[in-house]
Amino acid sequence: MASILRIIAQRLALGILTLFVVSIVIFAAVNMLPGDFAQAILGQGATPEAIKAIREDLGLDQPPVTRYLQWLAGALQGDLGNSFAQANFASFAGTTATANSASVAAQLGPRFENTMFLAGVTAVIAVPFSIFLGILAALYRNSVFDRFTNIFTLSSISSPEFFLAYILILFLAVLNPLLPSLSNIYEGMDFGDRLTKTLLPALTLTLAVTAQLMRMTRAAIINLLASPYIEMARLKGMSPMRVIVKHALPNALAPIINVIALNLAYLITGVVVVEVVFVYPGIGQLFVDSVKIRDIPVVQACCLLFATAYILLNLTADIMSIISNPRLRHPK
Amino acid sequence: MSADDPLLSVKGLKIEGRSDETWNPIINGASFDLQKGEVMGLIGESGAGKSTMGLAAMGFTRDGCRISAGTVMFDGVDLVTASAADKRALLGSRIAYVAQSAAASFNPAHRLIDQHTEGPTQHNVMSRAESEADGIELYRKLRLPNPEEIGFRYPHQVSGGQLQRAMTAMAMACRPELIIFDEPTTALDVTTQIEVLASIREIVEEYNTAAIYITHDLAVVAQMSDKIKVMLKGDEVEEADTRTMLSDPKEEYTKSLWAVRSFQRPSKPAVHTSATPVISVQNVSAAYGKVPVLHDVSFDIHEGRTVAVVGESGSGKSTAARCITGLLPPTQGHIEFDGQMMPLDYRKRDRMQLRQAQMIYQMADTALNPRKTIGELIGRPVQFYMGLTGNEKRRRVEHLLEEIELEPTQYINRLPSELSGGQKQRIGIARALAAEPKFIICDEVTSALDQLVAEGILRLLAKLQDELNLSYMFITHDLATVKSIADEVVVMKDGRVIEQGPKDDMFTPPHHPYTDLLLSSVPEMDPDWLTNLLNERGVDNIGDAAVDKM
């Protein structure tokens, strides 16, 4: 147990270092993009005076290193800064932005919650479904069922997500109006409604991640079938299903857990296309919009969030792998 | 089925294996009967088809194999034609299997007792609680330490010999009428082997279980079985009851098996006390991380001599070799070569120093790069150490192949996969010779080989020693090998040298008690050997128990 705690502490320390590096890289990358927030928001007809005013207002006229250090100082105190865009819309509307509504945290919070909800619903459907498919494919390997499952999951992972999304909309929303095709989610919705509206994007994402999960499960199990202890289980007269579920699967967990973690990370960070198709108010859309208008504080915060998700999920996967291995759980 | 029908009757069994898109015969028609409670020993060299036969007696073939003809009648059911479900009902409950490596054949993810009770509960023979109680009782009968508690451990927490007994207990869980033992003691040390052999024999007798005991060790089979069947490359050679087979074998092949251990090197005169040893290990201690493995180990190896280092697994034999080669720098002490101190870390040794100590490994299979030809494998050290290239290099490689008695033109372009086990080991020897060393470490070089092949390797090593005046450090746990090749013997236990001296002294009493235990634990051909030994030592003082008391 002490060793697990040490691993966690090490990883967390490394994770914080990674976050720091990520923040520098993102800051530098956004600064290298042509134009800045002032130009992006005012368009081509903007007068130099107007641009200068906005720049001064937002502190964009200061050297990048100073701005980064200011941002870092704030972030370390838990203040991720204010969104350029929100602050400006507020001032155009004649009001001053309250620190609350324009803050990056206020912008990100609900969006992130939605993204987590979508990822959660998808994971609850996709993980058991793909592991089950993987087990069946391993059990009936090289059969018609195995081949069909492989073809089906491979075709779904090979198709672009928006295409899958439209096909699902066609069959589940247009031809058979079972589910709403728009996922307009707002705060205060009750859970049932929210779930119904999230179901179509979740199914689309399920199709996108199933292939990898299912094929890894299948491969990890088949990889073990030549082991002496599997032969032993068969020689004890155990049924093929029991051999796979009871004898092979527990030993195949480590690679499966790692693939699950990678796919969950993808669900949190990489689903912008699906969000656009279903107008789902997730974090991906916010991120893309913010890059477009060079809203650096929001971009920074999104990136940090994504990086954190990756780090935490991988850490969880490592810990789960350790827990699933009796050699590490019960040292001699 | 009447009372005197055999329990198992195999007739005209043929098995084929698939390779290179065709079916090749593995067993060419084997027949035998096994009565209730009878133990048959099945012996032959690797590749003789023993394991395949053993599994086929359960109606089971490995992937890529098939039973192409014959019947396997078990209590009136033909296992060749029976449905998978019918076979599953018999397997585990009435026919059980004990595998060669218990460490690999227990599922690492489950506790021993969970694996033990799986059979009885799944076959509806006993409830989980009954089976658990019964398991503990069986552990006690098999003299496992802490029978109450040991089942609740995971396989990796239990030693090899104990696992092998736990596996025998697991096979007994449903009280089967037939158990197939597939080389159950091959992977064990001699002292542990006795314990397991005695346990198996006792429990098989107690429950009147019939058994097929597969092994390549004649002395072991002599202790265990009522009758013996000899196999050679898928063919039956002969079958007879144990005593007849031992005293009066009919076939030439059987006689040659019986005669294997005849190779014996003449003793050499004693070493001058003033001579400088080729390798001198002086007060070496070593550790893996923080775990100490060697404690104050010292021994000398003189020119043209073979020093056998013997001991059980975990005694520090191979670690001592790693210290000499510099792979594991010792924490204390030093290594001298020809009277010169050697840097402890191999990275600090120059090419000349590296050249002088070469190694030959146990598993020639894994020690040779499978993608390089024999010429490249041997040519590499020729070029690296001796700086030869082009035609000179080729001539040297050819010469080395001649030394190891392989025809150069025939072998130089082959890949390791195209050689037999013995030939691969010869390539390992040639590769070591390529550096023209004075000293070679042989780490269990014959233990993965069949006896006849191993003898060929030993003869070759002896010949090379005479020709090139080589010194060998010969690591082994096989005392028969020690007898045939060694000049001096170093006995190790728990990282310490227990006793050392010239071979003749070591094999004549009085011995150190541990050496005595090792020597007396080597099975002999006499079928009464185990019984006599057990009587001599007393039931509570065999194998493990005896080691623990020292």
Side-chain angles (χ1 to χ4, degrees), chain B residues 377-388:
Chain B
L377 284 167
I378 304 176
R380 166 78 188 144
V382 167
Q383 187 170 348
F384 180 77
Y385 287 118
M386 314 313 294
L388 301 181

Side-chain angles (χ1 to χ4, degrees), chain A residues 120-135 213 217 260:
Chain A
V121 173
T122 310
V124 166
I125 301 171
V127 172
F129 175 66
S130 355
I131 290 182
F132 182 66
L133 271 190
I135 290 174
L213 292 178
T217 308
I260 291 178

Side-chain angles (χ1 to χ4, degrees), chain A residues 82-83 86-87 90 95-108:
Chain A
N82 288 334
S83 158
Q86 289 298 321
T95 57
T96 43
T98 59
N100 215 351
S101 71
S103 80
V104 170
Q107 281 235 293
L108 231 51

Side-chain angles (χ1 to χ4, degrees), chain B residues 388-440:
Chain B
L388 301 181
T389 50
N391 276 337
E392 278 184 327
K393 174 170 146 189
R394 189 174 173 87
R395 268 200 298 281
R396 175 72 184 142
V397 171
E398 284 172 358
H399 178 69
L400 284 165
L401 281 171
E402 278 163 18
E403 294 246 46
I404 55 163
E405 295 156 10
L406 294 179
E407 177 55 43
T409 48
Q410 204 184 337
Y411 288 98
I412 201 159
N413 291 319
R414 290 205 195 177
L415 291 169
S417 56
E418 297 169 285
L419 301 182
S420 71
Q423 287 171 337
K424 280 183 214 166
Q425 198 54 284
R426 282 169 190 259
I427 301 301
I429 295 173
R431 189 170 60 175
L433 289 179
E436 297 179 22
K438 290 178 94 168
F439 169 65
I440 297 182

